[in-house]
Amino acid sequence: MFSNIVLIILVNKFYAFFKHHSNTGVAEYLLLIEPRKDLSDAIREVKQTFYDKYKAPEALKGKPHLTLVKYAQYTSFESRICQRIRNVAIQMSPIAIDLNDYGSFPSHTIFINVVSKTAIQTLVKNIRTQLQSHMKLDKDNKPHFILEPHITVARRLKPWQYEQGWLEYSNKSFSGRFIASSMILLRKEEDAKRYDLVERFEFQNLNIHASQSALF
């Protein structure tokens, strides 16, 4: 009798879960940091110049940014994920990010080097610790945490584009510095052509536990 009741409860919970998620779509998400506008404009010029010479369409896609996490998940999970990202962000101090010259991922991507990596890597590890299980859609769709921070100039390059482009850009210089005071979450739903803003998370350098204790 008891086992039958337990079985009925489990079946009902599974049905409710299935019904809920069958009515919600899966979206692609990007959690990232954007440079300030003047530096972003300078990076746009670099990307435009690369496109003009090497005709790589990916160079013109999206705003300049530094990706922290890429993942796919049900949109119904969005609010709880945002709450956990807020908890990470509220404890972070603004991050000084230094850019210097160019790097590459052979044989498909050329990027601007981020030379001040430690604070960003710490942020990504904190996000991974607190959100990895929530960002995992299934065993074939796991979140991708970026522990080698960079700002892409062009990706998905053809062999000739990479070889000729890297020959040129490995000898070019670029420098810039900005203070990242927030990170943003973007969403691209199925069949959408672009990402939409979900939320901006400000770095506030607050101790959550101390703040909560002060309330009592």
Side-chain angles (χ1 to χ4, degrees), residues 22-102:
S22 65
N23 292 324
T24 59
V26 173
E28 295 178 15
Y29 290 89
L30 281 179
L31 185 63
L32 54 84
I33 289 173
E34 289 184 333
R36 65 175 190 275
K37 186 179 184 306
D38 62 322
L39 185 55
S40 182
D41 289 343
I43 297 170
R44 280 179 182 271
E45 289 183 15
V46 171
K47 291 164 72 68
Q48 182 68 55
T49 299
F50 191 95
Y51 172 78
D52 291 342
K53 186 165 186 178
Y54 298 105
K55 305 305 177 189
E58 291 286 333
L60 299 183
K61 288 188 176 180
K63 297 179 181 179
H65 65 273
L66 189 160
T67 302
L68 303 173
V69 189
K70 298 170 64 176
Y71 68 98
Q73 187 53 278
Y74 292 108
T75 55
S76 59
F77 280 42
E78 193 173 285
S79 61
R80 75 180 71 174
I81 288 175
C82 284
Q83 181 57 55
R84 288 180 176 269
I85 297 174
R86 283 185 216 111
N87 291 341
V88 173
I90 201 172
Q91 299 177 75
M92 283 295 301
S93 300
I95 303 171
I97 297 179
D98 293 294
L99 310 177
N100 188 61
D101 298 339
Y102 298 90

Side-chain angles (χ1 to χ4, degrees), residues 12-200:
N12 287 338
K13 284 186 175 181
F14 176 79
Y15 175 76
F17 179 87
F18 177 80
K19 183 178 180 182
H20 176 65
H21 289 295
S22 65
N23 292 324
T24 59
V26 173
E28 295 178 15
Y29 290 89
L30 281 179
L31 185 63
L32 54 84
I33 289 173
E34 289 184 333
R36 65 175 190 275
K37 186 179 184 306
D38 62 322
L39 185 55
S40 182
D41 289 343
I43 297 170
R44 280 179 182 271
E45 289 183 15
V46 171
K47 291 164 72 68
Q48 182 68 55
T49 299
F50 191 95
Y51 172 78
D52 291 342
K53 186 165 186 178
Y54 298 105
K55 305 305 177 189
E58 291 286 333
L60 299 183
K61 288 188 176 180
K63 297 179 181 179
H65 65 273
L66 189 160
T67 302
L68 303 173
V69 189
K70 298 170 64 176
Y71 68 98
Q73 187 53 278
Y74 292 108
T75 55
S76 59
F77 280 42
E78 193 173 285
S79 61
R80 75 180 71 174
I81 288 175
C82 284
Q83 181 57 55
R84 288 180 176 269
I85 297 174
R86 283 185 216 111
N87 291 341
V88 173
I90 201 172
Q91 299 177 75
M92 283 295 301
S93 300
I95 303 171
I97 297 179
D98 293 294
L99 310 177
N100 188 61
D101 298 339
Y102 298 90
S104 74
F105 296 132
S107 54
H108 51 76
T109 302
I110 294 173
F111 55 81
I112 295 172
N113 284 317
V114 175
V115 293
S116 50
K117 297 182 179 182
T118 303
I120 301 169
Q121 290 170 333
T122 298
L123 171 59
V124 173
K125 289 175 182 177
N126 287 343
I127 295 167
R128 182 175 64 187
T129 298
Q130 297 196 38
L131 284 118
Q132 186 167 20
S133 62
H134 298 274
M135 290 177 168
K136 179 182 175 181
L137 179 63
D138 53 42
K139 64 183 180 67
D140 297 318
N141 292 275
K142 299 177 182 178
H144 186 198
F145 298 93
I146 311 300
L147 289 170
E148 285 299 320
H150 61 278
I151 296 180
T152 300
V153 173
R155 63 191 185 108
R156 294 178 181 171
L157 297 173
K158 297 176 181 177
W160 74 268
Q161 291 171 324
Y162 173 80
E163 291 167 9
Q164 294 182 28
W166 182 232
L167 182 64
E168 177 182 357
Y169 279 76
S170 61
N171 294 300
K172 280 181 173 286
S173 61
F174 184 93
S175 65
R177 191 173 198 267
F178 69 100
I179 304 298
S181 59
S182 64
M183 55 185 171
I184 65 174
L185 183 65
L186 303 179
R187 178 208 318 115
K188 185 170 74 170
E189 299 193 46
E190 191 175 359
D191 299 326
K193 294 184 178 180
R194 67 186 189 88
Y195 284 89
D196 294 316
L197 176 66
V198 176
E199 187 172 339
R200 180 179 297 273

